[in-house]
């Protein structure tokens, strides 16, 4: 699996890197699924996003890509996913597997109307990009205010916060995530939950598009109060 643009780090994957993945997969006859669900949620350098489908005339039997309406169209309730594959056997088996969870005809019709209306679609994506960009800038500003470094990202509805300097009890209970949830009532995704291998303690993903600016401000104030609080006494 290659997530392009990436979740959780929100960065674009360059065409050269995508090509390297494709060539490696084809050479080893290993299936590569490129997840492009954040393809239209690129809010910085958005012209730089390249779909794997745009890099090759044909993807062949080993390379596939997926997309969905959940992120780019803010329509997670529609439960629509798209698989592009030239592998007939895979297409047939996915068709059977999804037989009992088919996307309704009405939903497909509504989505087609939206996507085929190019002026509407372009205006929607432009508005969406600008809202994400503004919110991301606000999150980075709040984080800086509370002494938290952020990872520079260009895409997605989230941002990685680096709170490693505030991790005092590596592996101990309660860890920073636990304190943020229990005391500050703020739920961030910890690095360990996103399979970060090294130095995961202290990295958190902040999902910022489903909350208002006031809620973000309040959340960062609470996070800040935990980070500045005197260390609890365990003895
Ligand atoms: C990278 C990525 N792919 C796919 C999905 C699946 O989205 P959904 O099940 O809402 O269509 C998600 C949801 O968080 C995601 O982050």
């Amino acid at each position: 699996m290659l997530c392009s643009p990436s979740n959780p780090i929100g960065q674009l994957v360059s065409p050269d890197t995508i090509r390297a993945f494709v060539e490696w997969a084809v050479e080893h006859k290993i299936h590569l699924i490129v997840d492009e669900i954040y393809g239209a949620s690129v809010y910085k350098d958005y012209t730089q996003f390249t779909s794997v489908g745009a890099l090759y005339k044909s993807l062949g039997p080993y390379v596939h890509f997926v997309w969905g309406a959940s992120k780019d169209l803010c329509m997670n309730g529609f439960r629509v996913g798209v698989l592009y594959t030239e592998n007939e056997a895979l297409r047939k088996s996915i068709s059977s597997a999804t037989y009992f969870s088919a996307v309704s005809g009405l939903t497909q019709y509504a989505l087609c109307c939206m996507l085929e209306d190019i002026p509407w679609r372009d205006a929607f994506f432009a508005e969406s990009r600008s809202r994400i960009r503004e919110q991301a800038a606000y999150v980075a500003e709040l984080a800086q205010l509370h002494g938290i470094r952020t990872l520079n990202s260009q895409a997605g509805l989230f941002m990685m916060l680096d709170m490693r300097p505030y991790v005092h009890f590596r592996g101990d209970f309660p860890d920073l995530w636990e304190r943020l949830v229990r005391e500050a009532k703020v739920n961030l995704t910890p690095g360990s939950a996103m399979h970060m291998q090294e130095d995961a303690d202290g990295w958190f993903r902040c999902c910022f598009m489903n909350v208002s600016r006031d809620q973000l401000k309040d959340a960062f104030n609470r996070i800040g109060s935990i980070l500045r609080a005197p260390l609890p006494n365990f003895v």
Side-chain angles (χ1 to χ4, degrees):
M1 289 279 309
L2 170 66
C3 193
S4 163
S6 150
N7 179 5
I9 58 172
Q11 290 180 350
L12 292 168
V13 183
S14 73
D16 282 351
T17 305
I18 300 172
R19 279 196 198 94
F21 269 86
V22 169
E23 279 155 31
W24 182 85
V26 170
E27 185 190 336
H28 295 277
K29 294 192 164 59
I30 288 175
H31 288 273
L32 171 69
I33 303 166
V34 186
D35 183 342
E36 299 184 352
I37 201 159
Y38 294 101
S41 302
V42 182
Y43 55 90
K44 271 191 231 159
D45 312 322
Y46 68 91
T47 51
Q48 305 294 314
F49 168 71
T50 312
S51 167
V52 65
L55 288 176
Y56 298 90
K57 270 198 182 134
S58 161
L59 293 182
Y62 290 104
V63 180
H64 329 276
F65 65 91
V66 290
W67 179 79
S70 292
K71 319 294 177 184
D72 288 348
L73 292 173
C74 316
M75 287 176 18
N76 49 336
F78 270 48
R79 310 313 303 144
V80 176
V82 176
L83 164 70
Y84 178 91
T85 182
E86 293 168 20
N87 183 320
E88 195 49 23
L90 175 65
R91 198 191 60 75
K92 276 191 182 148
S93 81
I94 293 280
S95 293
S96 312
T98 55
Y99 185 79
F100 294 105
S101 57
V103 177
S104 81
L106 279 178
T107 301
Q108 293 191 44
Y109 177 73
L111 198 62
C112 285
C113 290
M114 291 164 72
L115 293 178
E116 282 170 0
D117 185 343
I118 307 290
W120 179 87
R121 199 190 64 187
D122 289 351
F124 178 88
F125 287 144
E127 175 67 24
S128 166
R129 274 196 299 270
S130 110
R131 288 193 195 187
I132 307 172
R133 189 167 45 246
E134 272 176 29
Q135 194 88 326
Y138 188 55
V139 169
E141 194 185 301
L142 287 172
Q144 196 185 22
L145 207 69
H146 290 281
I148 304 166
R149 250 179 18 103
T150 53
L151 200 68
N152 186 24
S153 45
Q154 301 109 341
L157 316 173
F158 37 76
M159 189 179 290
M160 291 297 288
L161 307 179
D162 180 5
M163 300 193 208
R164 286 175 298 172
Y166 302 98
V167 173
H168 303 292
F169 307 104
R170 260 168 220 278
D172 274 354
F173 179 85
D175 65 12
L176 185 53
W177 177 79
E178 188 101 24
R179 294 192 68 207
L180 290 170
V181 172
R182 283 179 194 268
E183 296 169 43
K185 313 276 187 242
V186 176
N187 189 10
L188 301 171
T189 320
S192 58
M194 294 174 296
H195 307 284
M196 286 179 73
Q197 299 291 311
E198 282 163 34
D199 233 3
D201 282 354
W203 278 107
F204 293 91
R205 185 188 61 175
C206 165
C207 295
F208 56 71
M209 280 315 282
N210 57 342
V211 281
S212 68
R213 281 188 153 222
D214 283 349
Q215 286 168 322
L216 278 174
K217 191 174 175 190
D218 183 35
F220 271 92
N221 282 339
R222 294 178 193 201
I223 294 171
S225 67
I226 295 289
L227 301 184
R228 287 186 300 272
L231 299 178
N233 188 357
F234 287 109
V235 191

